[in-house]
Amino acid sequence: MGYVLITGASSGIGYELAKEYARHGNSLIITATNQSRLELVKQELEDKYPVQVIAVAEDLSQKGAATQFYRKIKERKLTVSELINNAGFGCVGEFVDIPLSFEESMMMVNMVNLVGLTKLFLSDMKDAGSGKILNVASTGAFQPGPWIASYYATKSFVFNFSEAIRMEYKKYGVQISTLCPGATKTNFTKRAGKSQMKHAMEPEKVAKIAYYQFQRNKNVIIPGIWNRLGQIPPRKIRSLFIEVLQKRLAEN
């Protein structure tokens, strides 16, 4: 049996997913940029559950990081049966005021290296005739996001990319699903320069819903009834609401 690989596993949804998988007896490969934080998570999970946890730091904001990380896993002769591309970040603010270097790093994490990891591990899964991939997008994937434009655009990419390859690789026995959480109480909001949203979900709840629906081969997973109901209004109305909300958050 292979390992479950979770990116961005040192905090937030990724950390809660790691706990959920360990609770169900799955051995893990966890990655994030901070090795010391990963070691703490590894120790916590191994102390609490009868699983093996391998912590491998990687900075997915760097070009070529996906290939470099994949080689590390292959050198250890580890098999990945499930890949969870959770790592990601964004920034709220007027588009021209956000440093280009920040946006380039964001696109590298949210899209380029996500595609890289998916391609590399999916190739192994195709050969094996089995495997699962969960790519984490956002409810922001479903419409433009004024004042958080590039982040929403990256998540729209993840959503459409994941839907497409799900159709391609179903015949090979590989399941690909997309998680689209709404506002969640994680460190993401701090890094994005946002104050915490009043009705944000707890990451533990998001992870539990994601785990169970992913195991049931749900195509698109949107945790929380309000997040699902939020997709009902016309796209233009949603975009106008987001413009007001994100501008307010940016100014706080």
Side-chain angles (χ1 to χ4, degrees), residues 10-62:
S10 62
S11 65
I13 295 172
Y15 168 64
E16 295 297 340
L17 280 168
K19 291 199 298 184
E20 192 67 24
Y21 269 95
R23 188 168 72 85
H24 284 86
N26 297 275
S27 290
L28 304 169
I29 302 169
I30 56 173
T31 186
T33 56
N34 189 321
Q35 183 70 43
S36 60
R37 171 60 185 160
L38 285 174
E39 293 296 338
L40 291 175
V41 175
K42 167 185 165 68
Q43 193 64 54
E44 175 191 349
L45 296 178
E46 290 186 335
D47 286 348
K48 193 171 182 179
Y49 305 105
V51 298
Q52 180 187 18
V53 180
I54 299 172
V56 184
E58 191 67 54
D59 184 357
L60 293 174
S61 70
Q62 301 301 308

Side-chain angles (χ1 to χ4, degrees), residues 23-229:
R23 188 168 72 85
H24 284 86
N26 297 275
S27 290
L28 304 169
I29 302 169
I30 56 173
T31 186
T33 56
N34 189 321
Q35 183 70 43
S36 60
R37 171 60 185 160
L38 285 174
E39 293 296 338
L40 291 175
V41 175
K42 167 185 165 68
Q43 193 64 54
E44 175 191 349
L45 296 178
E46 290 186 335
D47 286 348
K48 193 171 182 179
Y49 305 105
V51 298
Q52 180 187 18
V53 180
I54 299 172
V56 184
E58 191 67 54
D59 184 357
L60 293 174
S61 70
Q62 301 301 308
K63 183 178 180 180
T67 300
Q68 180 171 289
F69 182 78
Y70 177 76
R71 286 174 179 165
K72 290 178 182 179
I73 301 306
K74 300 304 284 186
E75 286 169 1
R76 297 191 186 201
K77 302 188 186 307
L78 302 173
T79 299
V80 172
S81 57
E82 294 190 33
L83 167 64
I84 301 176
N85 280 311
N86 165 76
F89 65 91
C91 186
V92 62
E94 188 173 341
F95 174 66
V96 297
D97 292 338
I98 299 171
L100 179 59
S101 59
F102 183 97
E103 301 221 66
E104 288 174 335
S105 294
M106 178 189 67
M107 289 186 282
M108 191 64 67
V109 175
N110 294 8
M111 297 189 296
V112 178
N113 280 317
L114 178 144
V115 169
L117 289 173
T118 300
K119 184 181 290 288
L120 293 165
F121 287 106
L122 178 55
S123 178
D124 291 341
M125 293 175 184
K126 177 184 174 183
D127 291 343
S130 65
K132 296 180 180 179
I133 298 175
L134 178 65
N135 287 332
V136 179
S138 163
T139 52
F142 304 129
Q143 66 281 309
W147 291 81
I148 191 167
S150 297
Y151 173 75
Y152 271 33
T154 65
K155 293 305 182 179
S156 181
F157 172 90
V158 171
F159 175 75
N160 285 286
F161 165 70
S162 302
E163 287 250 274
I165 60 174
R166 176 183 172 89
M167 296 173 69
E168 285 187 45
Y169 287 91
K170 180 180 179 180
K171 63 185 177 184
Y172 297 109
V174 180
Q175 172 196 332
I176 299 167
S177 300
T178 312
L179 173 62
C180 296
T184 309
K185 295 177 183 178
T186 68
N187 289 334
F188 172 90
T189 53
K190 294 179 182 178
R191 189 168 187 181
K194 297 165 62 175
S195 57
Q196 194 65 259
M197 290 187 180
K198 185 177 180 180
H199 300 294
M201 289 182 69
E202 295 292 340
E204 181 180 5
K205 186 174 182 180
V206 173
K208 285 183 180 298
I209 293 169
Y211 176 85
Y212 284 107
Q213 293 197 10
F214 184 45
Q215 298 312 310
R216 288 161 176 74
N217 196 16
K218 184 77 178 291
N219 179 12
V220 180
I221 303 164
I222 306 177
I225 187 169
W226 293 111
N227 289 324
R228 295 193 293 277
L229 290 174

